[in-house]
Amino acid sequence: MWAVAFPARPMCPDCRSLDVRWVATSGRATVWSFVVPHPRLLPRTASSPPYNVVVVALDQDATIRMVGNLVSTVDGPINEIDPATIEIGEPVQVVFAAVDDVALPRWVRAPGG
Ligand SMILES: [Zn+2]
C-alpha cells in the first residue's frame, strides 16, 4: 500500500515496505494550530519574542503536519506577524529560507486567505 508520510523515513510505517521515494507537493497548507512563545528559548531567537510557531496541515494530506513560523517574506524576522492576526484554518504557502547549510521551510499567507 502506497502512503505519504512525514518526516521522511527509510521504511513505510504502515506496511514496512522499503520502496520509499520523495514526492513533490503543492506547498499549500492551512494553519492547524499555533503557539506564541514568550520566553527566550534559543540563542538565535533570543532577541525576538513574542513570535509564532505554527503547525500546518498540508492540503495534499491533512494528516501530514509540519512545524514552522508564519512570516511575511521568506527571509523576514520571525516576529513580523502579529500573533493576534493568525487564524486557525487560514491558507498558507511554503517558502524555503537558507539557514546555515539547510533550506528551512517557513510559511507565508496564501492569496485568498
Ligand atoms: Zn506502506
Side-chain angles (χ1 to χ4, degrees), residues 33-46:
S33 185
F34 70 98
V35 295
V36 183
H38 290 265
R40 296 178 176 187
L41 301 174
L42 301 168
R44 185 184 290 275
T45 59

Side-chain angles (χ1 to χ4, degrees), residues 50-61:
Y51 54 89
N52 70 76
V53 178
V54 295
V55 179
V56 303
L58 298 189
D59 285 4
Q60 178 177 352
D61 182 338

Side-chain angles (χ1 to χ4, degrees), residues 2-81:
W2 194 87
V4 178
F6 183 82
R9 61 201 77 176
M11 178 183 289
C12 175
D14 295 325
C15 67
R16 300 185 188 173
S17 170
L18 297 175
D19 180 20
V20 296
R21 67 197 74 159
W22 290 101
V23 177
T25 69
S26 68
R28 290 188 296 271
T30 56
V31 174
W32 186 78
S33 185
F34 70 98
V35 295
V36 183
H38 290 265
R40 296 178 176 187
L41 301 174
L42 301 168
R44 185 184 290 275
T45 59
S47 63
S48 50
Y51 54 89
N52 70 76
V53 178
V54 295
V55 179
V56 303
L58 298 189
D59 285 4
Q60 178 177 352
D61 182 338
T63 66
I64 305 291
R65 297 186 183 130
M66 298 180 70
V67 176
N69 302 108
L70 183 64
V71 290
S72 293
T73 58
V74 63
D75 293 316
I78 62 173
N79 61 357
E80 68 182 340
I81 297 281

